[in-house]
Amino acid sequence: MSLLRCPLDCARLMAVTTALALTPAYALKDEVVIRSPEPGEVRTVVTGQGEAASVAFPDGPASMTPLWLVGMVDLRWTCADSKAVSLEVKTGKGPDAKPQSFELLRKHNLQGGSTRTVLYLWEASAVKAACAKDGEARVDSVPVSLTLRCKSGRVLEHTQVIPLQAECRPSTPSQEAVTGLTGSEMERNRGVYQLMLSKFSRQEPDPSPDELRLGGKSTLEFSRVRPGGFVPEVQSLRVVRLDEKGQVAERFPPVRLSGSGDDAEFVPRLTFTPKAAGPVRFALEAGYADGSWLLSRPAEVQVLTPAQVAAKAAKEVSGTRRMAFFKELEAQMGQLKCGPELVEWLEKQPVIEDAGFTEGNVWYTFTDEVTGVAHCH
């Protein structure tokens, strides 16, 4: 296993702190401070050698797509004798090659402050190459250029390269190797970062309904996805059908983004007509700013034949019939001993599939698979 550490304070997000002060030229000072982690603290995990090489999902204040490791950074600025107007952030390559612009005068109306954002900083291929053998390796990020504009007209510029220090050890790929995400599944710190750094491959598509009729057109609904609920942010989403080996067999049209701002969310729906009986596996596929895609966990929907649908309908127990059974059971419990005799009576009831006696209580299962317990004490 490879242990990857971002240089950061354990109590904070990785901070890219840039102090840009508007003062006379001889006193102007641009400084960058990157805090180190606590001794021995492991922030991230990478794995693999050779063909098995793959970068794992970070366990600290960083995250990743299949192609890039990203960092959530805190950009801090200061205009010494006027208010800050705007801050522009640009990296040398990758999806952040187009500058990110922050309008500061309207939002903050201060001389100094901070802005939090996510930057694509380290290519996964570079981390893999650096970890080609045991030992420690340093991986520099792309150059990050900052341009601060002050109301006085002063323009301050600063460029920084952020290093990632990795202690590399080989490990065995997990079942998630196909996504490029393998390795440690250590429990992350509890608290706000747990949501911010959640891993999309753990997303559950949760299809509804979970049973379909062969040849019948149905509308499947899947769990909603908030694009900003993941780091990095999900740019696009689509439903996919998987084959028996978990590979994508069919991709469906992109899901439209509903709402705006913090209320924006993807609401996946799919009109589907099954052509064969048995299980059908679906997943959600998230797209990122770097052009990569990542699968969620799979989920199965069962396709039933007309005969299976009819047989299941025959086993359904109506609410009226279930309430009548409960009254009969209450009467029997007053006459029979709570044991084998009651179990024998239950097994003779048309609405009961199975029954038994365990740990002093009698349990039973209706024909529609609803279970119940007759408490004897």
Side-chain angles (χ1 to χ4, degrees):
M1 183 173 64
S2 300
L3 303 182
L4 186 73
R5 298 192 294 274
C6 292
L8 43 81
D9 191 307
C10 66
R12 301 186 179 185
L13 295 170
M14 179 184 65
V16 182
T17 306
T18 305
L20 301 172
L22 180 59
T23 57
Y26 63 85
L28 184 62
K29 182 181 180 182
D30 298 344
E31 64 176 17
V32 179
V33 178
I34 301 179
R35 300 184 183 278
S36 298
E38 289 296 316
E41 184 173 5
V42 176
R43 304 307 307 180
T44 311
V45 179
V46 298
T47 68
Q49 280 189 330
E51 295 180 357
S54 57
V55 180
F57 176 78
D59 284 81
S63 189
M64 71 184 300
T65 74
L67 298 180
W68 285 80
L69 274 73
V70 305
M72 177 166 284
V73 299
D74 191 18
L75 305 169
R76 300 184 182 183
W77 69 88
T78 301
C79 288
D81 62 355
S82 65
K83 295 177 181 178
V85 176
S86 65
L87 177 64
E88 184 179 270
V89 184
K90 182 179 179 180
T91 59
K93 59 181 179 178
D96 289 327
K98 183 178 180 181
Q100 294 187 49
S101 297
F102 302 92
E103 298 300 323
L104 306 178
L105 188 62
R106 181 178 57 189
K107 184 176 181 180
H108 296 275
N109 198 28
L110 297 170
Q111 289 180 230
S114 64
T115 292
R116 184 171 294 171
T117 189
V118 172
L119 297 177
Y120 287 69
L121 294 175
W122 307 281
E123 292 182 89
S125 58
V127 178
K128 293 177 185 179
C131 289
K133 60 181 181 180
D134 291 355
E136 291 197 2
R138 174 188 168 107
V139 183
D140 286 336
S141 75
V142 298
V144 181
S145 300
L146 305 174
T147 302
L148 175 68
R149 290 177 171 82
C150 302
K151 195 172 183 180
S152 65
R154 184 89 178 192
V155 178
L156 304 177
E157 296 182 343
H158 181 79
T159 300
Q160 179 179 356
V161 175
I162 305 170
L164 187 70
Q165 193 69 27
E167 181 186 348
C168 306
R169 302 171 187 169
S171 68
T172 303
S174 71
Q175 294 179 350
E176 292 182 288
V178 67
T179 68
L181 303 178
T182 183
S184 172
E185 293 293 341
M186 298 190 303
E187 182 178 359
R188 296 169 181 80
N189 292 335
R190 298 291 180 181
V192 63
Y193 302 139
Q194 191 174 27
L195 172 62
M196 290 166 46
L197 304 174
S198 57
K199 182 177 173 183
F200 181 80
S201 61
R202 294 184 175 215
Q203 177 79 12
E204 170 57 56
D206 193 23
S208 178
D210 58 6
E211 290 183 343
L212 303 176
R213 183 188 180 107
L214 178 63
K217 182 184 292 187
S218 301
T219 298
L220 286 165
E221 296 187 357
F222 301 85
S223 55
R224 301 185 177 197
V225 174
R226 289 187 178 274
F230 298 93
V231 175
E233 183 172 299
V234 175
Q235 300 289 316
S236 54
L237 190 78
R238 57 194 179 197
V239 179
V240 298
R241 182 175 62 82
L242 307 177
D243 61 20
E244 294 179 354
K245 296 181 179 180
Q247 302 300 309
V248 176
E250 183 177 8
R251 287 184 169 93
F252 300 97
V255 180
R256 294 181 59 185
L257 186 62
S258 302
S260 60
D262 294 338
D263 294 328
E265 62 180 1
F266 293 105
V267 186
R269 292 190 179 93
L270 174 65
T271 300
F272 184 71
T273 303
K275 299 178 181 180
V280 181
R281 303 180 76 196
F282 292 100
L284 300 177
E285 192 174 39
Y288 297 99
D290 61 2
S292 65
W293 293 84
L294 180 62
L295 289 175
S296 72
R297 286 182 174 179
E300 285 190 355
V301 173
Q302 292 294 327
V303 178
L304 306 179
T305 64
Q308 289 174 317
V309 172
K312 186 171 182 178
K315 291 187 174 184
E316 289 292 331
V317 180
S318 67
T320 301
R321 182 65 189 91
R322 207 182 308 272
M323 290 303 299
F325 163 79
F326 288 141
K327 290 183 178 180
E328 295 172 8
L329 175 60
E330 184 178 3
Q332 290 298 322
M333 290 183 67
Q335 300 178 21
L336 302 175
K337 293 181 180 180
C338 194
E341 292 181 359
L342 184 58
V343 171
E344 184 180 352
W345 176 84
L346 284 166
E347 291 175 337
K348 294 178 180 179
Q349 305 310 304
V351 296
I352 298 301
E353 184 75 24
D354 196 11
F357 185 75
T358 304
E359 297 181 356
N361 295 315
V362 173
W363 58 267
Y364 52 90
T365 304
F366 288 97
T367 53
D368 57 4
E369 299 183 354
V370 175
T371 61
V373 176
H375 297 285
C376 302
H377 301 289

